[in-house]
Amino acid sequence: MRKPIIAGNWKMHKTVAESLELVNALKPLVAGVTNVEIVVAPTFTALAFVSQVVGGSNIALAAQNMYWEDSGAFTGEISPLMLKDVGCEYVILGHSERRQYFGETNETVNHKVKAAHVHGLKPIVCVGERLEQREAGIAHDVIRDHIVHGLAGLTAAEMLESVIAYEPVWAIGTGKTATPDQAQDVHAFIRGLLTEIFSADVADQVRIQYGGSVKPENVSELMAQPDVDGGLVGGASLRADLFAQIVKH
Ligand code: PGA
């Protein structure tokens, strides 16, 4: 049985004070939840502070990105060691906004995914097609590329400690959610790829989140799909009440 995992990606939102307000509001709202793994991903500057609040609770901490080296002359970057140091268990890698605005490629994502595992951080690896790619009928090809190259060289054990997030780019922050059928189609395709690359047993255990305008109104029908094992939530994770409703759908 795959335990659902719902993660809030706060993106470039909230000061430290605002982050603390949000997580302090969220914590009691989800305190009793044991059937869903809950993750929040604040900005780098808020990680250490939020870590103090979620420590020992049922909320795990994630970063939104990292570099793959341990340390060195890489001005402006953050290493896996630093994320471990502040209590991160997860790190979001290859988000479409990083691919679009910051030159992230399948190759850099792959370096980062491997580095995460070296340090015992669990990557949430984002994949997903853009609108013109879906319209051109190449959504599966794009996702195959993201998966095959982004996860290249991972051991089965590392794959089992990874999460995949399918986020159709056209559904992110647009209010346009993929239909449950569209999500299920791609999730099943991804699970098939994992079967090819690793094994049916590995594919059966890896959790695949859906992301893109997830909200309280649509989370249940998405999560009801057999291959949808959670959500990566942007906008709606910035409000404790909405995120808690999504977690407790
Ligand atoms: P959204 O963002 O929920 O605001 O669409 C999702 C994401 O980019 O992770």
Side-chain angles (χ1 to χ4, degrees):
M1 257 321 266
R2 298 182 296 266
K3 185 173 185 176
I5 175 166
I6 296 188
N9 173 11
W10 296 0
K11 306 193 179 184
M12 197 174 73
H13 292 287
K14 303 208 177 273
T15 61
V16 170
E18 289 165 348
S19 300
L20 288 172
E21 193 182 328
L22 174 56
V23 75
N24 277 311
L26 178 65
K27 201 171 148 181
L29 293 178
V30 297
V33 174
T34 54
N35 59 338
V36 173
E37 199 173 342
I38 306 165
V39 182
V40 292
T43 61
F44 285 133
T45 52
L47 280 174
F49 296 92
V50 172
S51 185
Q52 300 291 317
V53 177
V54 299
S57 80
N58 60 342
I59 303 174
L61 191 66
Q64 300 173 18
N65 180 36
M66 66 172 203
Y67 192 54
W68 58 79
E69 295 286 352
D70 290 2
S71 63
F74 303 103
T75 302
E77 293 296 318
I78 300 284
S79 85
L81 280 175
M82 295 163 186
L83 298 185
K84 285 292 282 188
D85 185 43
V86 294
C88 287
E89 181 177 343
Y90 288 93
V91 58
I92 299 171
L93 295 174
H95 190 280
S96 63
E97 287 151 15
R98 299 226 45 95
R99 294 178 192 260
Q100 185 178 351
Y101 305 124
F102 304 102
E104 198 88 77
T105 63
N106 291 329
E107 286 63 42
T108 58
V109 171
N110 185 240
H111 281 306
K112 293 178 178 191
V113 171
K114 287 179 175 162
H117 285 299
V118 166
H119 293 281
L121 277 166
K122 299 173 191 161
I124 297 177
V125 186
C126 303
V127 304
E129 82 285 0
R130 297 195 303 271
L131 182 59
E132 70 272 18
Q133 294 169 325
R134 173 160 284 265
E135 285 173 345
I138 58 167
H140 283 197
D141 301 322
V142 170
I143 286 152
R144 177 186 291 274
D145 250 29
H146 286 176
I147 294 281
V148 169
H149 300 294
L151 303 178
L154 256 61
T155 64
E158 288 169 339
M159 191 63 237
L160 289 172
E161 293 293 320
S162 308
V163 174
I164 294 175
Y166 168 55
E167 299 205 305
V169 179
W170 46 271
I172 295 177
T174 58
K176 277 189 212 156
T177 321
T179 65
D181 284 350
Q182 282 172 324
Q184 170 56 26
D185 166 69
V186 175
H187 282 233
F189 176 70
I190 293 171
R191 212 174 294 288
L193 289 173
L194 297 178
T195 304
E196 274 174 38
I197 302 170
F198 297 95
S199 67
D201 184 47
V202 169
D204 192 45
Q205 293 181 62
V206 172
R207 292 171 301 176
I208 307 174
Q209 297 175 309
Y210 168 80
S213 300
V214 174
K215 38 191 182 242
E217 298 76 42
N218 60 25
V219 64
S220 295
E221 53 175 8
L222 288 161
M223 294 288 289
Q225 301 302 310
D227 287 297
V228 177
D229 310 310
L232 183 54
V233 186
S237 74
L238 297 172
R239 272 186 46 189
D241 57 341
L242 297 182
F243 190 61
Q245 282 175 46
I246 290 170
V247 166
K248 295 161 123 175
H249 66 275

